[in-house]
Amino acid sequence: MRQTDYTVQSAAVLLWGAGGTILGVSRKYNPNDWGLPAGSIEPGEDAAAAAVRECYEETGIHVTLRANPIYVGRSNRLVCATFLALSYVGEPRAMEEGSVAWVTRDQLLKGKYGSYQKRLFAALVGDVSAETPENMIPLAWQK
């Protein structure tokens, strides 16, 4: 596959909280369907800027991100880049429809994007057995 086969279309933020919790947002149609703050990249915007913007729009939190994504992979039909938040300012509050809370890894894995998040967490601990070629996009291909 060529580098041009992949276009990152969405961006997400992984923000760790106290006790191993993770900042989560629920979907507007299901308050128990938790995922990471994420959304589409707008025209002219890079993935990191989209991640910062989406996190603020959904949670009211301003984040500072690690420069490069920690994981890039397919989520349903989209290619998503997930960035690690190094620091944040603000208190979580719902800014759009849905809820915002510090949730567990297990709560994230049960959500609509659970399979993507499972691969994300596996990649963080180096368990490449969770990866499949059609879902994993090598970070070296993302500039």
Side-chain angles (χ1 to χ4, degrees), residues 24-104:
V25 295
S26 72
R27 306 301 164 212
K28 61 185 172 186
Y29 53 83
N30 183 347
N32 296 312
D33 183 4
W34 294 98
L36 298 174
S40 297
I41 299 171
E42 295 180 354
E45 187 176 47
D46 66 34
V52 169
R53 176 184 51 75
E54 286 289 345
C55 189
Y56 179 74
E57 287 177 359
E58 294 181 0
T59 70
I61 290 181
H62 293 280
V63 292
T64 300
L65 303 177
R66 180 176 161 202
N68 296 313
I70 56 172
Y71 181 75
V72 178
R74 291 188 191 280
S75 176
N76 296 329
R77 295 182 192 156
L78 296 175
V79 176
C80 183
T82 299
F83 292 84
L84 178 65
L86 300 174
S87 63
Y88 71 95
V89 176
E91 291 298 321
R93 64 184 188 282
M95 301 282 286
E96 295 181 343
E97 296 179 20
S99 299
V100 176
W102 296 103
V103 299
T104 66

